[in-house]
Amino acid sequence: MKSTLLGLAVLLSLGTAGVATTASAADKPGPAIIYDLGGKFDKSFNEGAYNGAERWKKESGKTYREFEITNASQREQALRRFAKDGNNPIIVLGFAYEDALAAVAKAYPKTQFGIVDDVVDLPNVASYIYRADEGSYLAGYLAAKTSKSGTIGFVGGMDIPLIRSFGCGYVQGAKAANPNIKVIQNMTGTTAAAWNDPGRGGELAKAQIAQGADIVYAAAGQTGLGVLQAAADEGKLSIGVDSNQNGLHPGKVLTSVLKHVDEAIYEGFKSGAAGTFKTGTNVLGLKQDGVGLAMDDNNKSLVSADNKGAIDAVTKDIIDGKTVVHDYQADNACPVN
């Protein structure tokens, strides 16, 4: 009850000082974004979306509203408040918003909504689905080509099909590069707390390193920051996720699997303002430039010219359909382990 009352109190302040980037009361309501647990500065999924919103704000000279939830009950509360206030479009981050968004979108059929990482099949909702398994395939391929021990690791966040898909793509790519590679996989937990436990992420990474892993891939939100830190501390390499995390530990992060969530938010806000917002399901893979690997000055010394060429070739094969990455979420199964 205490947390519910606190959530309501916070939501009541959304229209004024409760949101740092809220437009003034005299302005016409603009777009809005609601982050998932972990906060907008998680250096991963949420922060990527925040960067897209900020890019739109800078280019358009307009403002948007935002809210960082602290508990699950706030999802529907925040959606209803923004919809009631006339914000449009309203974009939410993460599969956990599915039920709340379905309820609110039905109640406000003239408002346009968006959701990242799930599908809500309603006429006023845009769903953005990323083929993160394709990006993970590239990461696994590169990791297997780079590994000296013949063992690599994967630390997932909450044990759900979406994160299993990351792991499955990673293993498929690794096995394609080296059929004898060993891949150790661990999930952090079965509740939302799994996204925000860097300490546990570090423990899992160190356990995998103790078993011989010299590269560990984290797909776990803020928990992944602990994985990257542990790998750096142990003199091993890591792989980041969602946003470009190469710079968190320069020379220690082999690459980052990018999900261009920033583009979904930017395009959603931009098209919403122009009156051209498109609803329906958008599947964003390598072909659509929705995912990829981060290559920059922070990791250029870690990726040889041969390996870079190999990744480019594999990327082309996936785009051209010559290589098909099995989607774990299609049947909750992975053809390799």
Side-chain angles (χ1 to χ4, degrees):
M1 176 61 76
K2 182 177 180 181
S3 63
T4 300
L5 291 174
L6 177 59
L8 289 171
V10 172
L11 286 164
L12 288 173
S13 70
L14 284 178
T16 54
V19 181
T21 53
T22 300
S24 69
D27 292 339
K28 180 180 178 180
I33 183 171
I34 307 175
Y35 304 100
D36 205 355
L37 292 169
K40 67 180 179 181
F41 295 126
D42 62 355
K43 301 187 184 300
S44 187
F45 180 65
N46 286 319
E47 191 160 342
Y50 166 76
N51 290 336
E54 285 293 295
R55 175 184 165 197
W56 174 82
K57 176 185 174 183
K58 182 177 180 180
E59 291 186 6
S60 68
K62 299 178 181 179
T63 55
Y64 64 94
R65 296 178 74 187
E66 62 179 1
F67 186 60
E68 301 176 67
I69 66 167
T70 57
N71 63 72
S73 67
Q74 293 177 328
R75 290 192 175 97
E76 185 168 340
Q77 294 170 3
L79 270 164
R80 287 190 181 279
R81 180 56 189 265
F82 282 155
K84 181 179 179 181
D85 288 351
N87 292 104
N88 190 41
I90 303 168
I91 303 179
V92 297
L93 301 177
F95 68 94
Y97 280 94
E98 179 184 3
D99 292 342
L101 179 56
V104 177
K106 288 176 183 177
Y108 291 88
K110 294 184 179 180
T111 299
Q112 295 168 320
F113 299 88
I115 183 170
V116 177
D117 277 350
D118 212 326
V119 174
V120 173
D121 189 15
L122 290 172
N124 57 332
V125 177
S127 302
Y128 305 97
I129 300 296
Y130 287 84
R131 287 297 306 271
D133 54 328
E134 292 184 350
S136 296
Y137 185 102
L138 299 181
Y141 197 96
L142 179 59
K145 285 287 189 181
T146 305
S147 175
K148 296 179 180 179
S149 69
T151 300
I152 58 178
F154 172 81
V155 175
M158 187 176 176
D159 192 353
I160 53 174
L162 174 63
I163 301 304
R164 289 283 175 182
S165 180
F166 278 81
C168 182
Y170 184 62
V171 177
Q172 288 178 75
K175 294 289 186 179
N178 177 7
N180 297 315
I181 195 79
K182 179 181 179 181
V183 185
I184 306 169
Q185 299 185 67
N186 294 111
M187 294 291 178
T188 305
T190 58
T191 69
W195 304 119
N196 194 24
D197 193 348
R200 179 60 176 160
E203 291 173 1
L204 291 173
K206 289 179 180 178
Q208 292 183 358
I209 290 169
Q211 296 175 68
D214 57 357
I215 302 171
V216 183
Y217 173 29
Q222 277 199 320
T223 296
L225 300 182
V227 174
L228 271 58
Q229 183 67 60
D233 291 344
E234 296 290 323
K236 307 300 181 182
L237 296 176
S238 61
I239 297 175
V241 76
D242 291 343
S243 295
N244 186 351
Q245 299 181 323
N246 295 355
L248 296 180
H249 301 279
K252 295 295 184 180
V253 180
L254 178 61
T255 188
S256 296
V257 176
L258 301 175
K259 282 174 62 177
H260 294 297
V261 182
D262 56 329
E263 288 295 328
I265 304 303
Y266 172 78
E267 291 297 337
F269 281 13
K270 183 178 180 181
S271 62
T276 58
F277 187 83
K278 294 182 179 180
T279 58
T281 300
N282 305 279
V283 179
L284 306 170
L286 285 173
K287 187 174 183 178
Q288 297 78 21
D289 197 29
V291 297
L293 296 187
M295 299 293 179
D296 57 23
D297 288 343
N298 293 303
N299 70 335
K300 66 180 181 181
S301 65
L302 303 175
V303 182
S304 68
D306 286 346
N307 284 349
K308 179 64 166 60
I311 290 298
D312 290 343
V314 173
T315 299
K316 186 176 185 303
D317 284 346
I318 294 174
I319 291 173
D320 291 345
K322 294 180 180 179
T323 296
V324 178
V325 181
H326 177 77
D327 182 2
Y328 179 93
Q329 296 184 91
D331 57 7
N332 285 345
C334 190
V336 293
N337 53 44

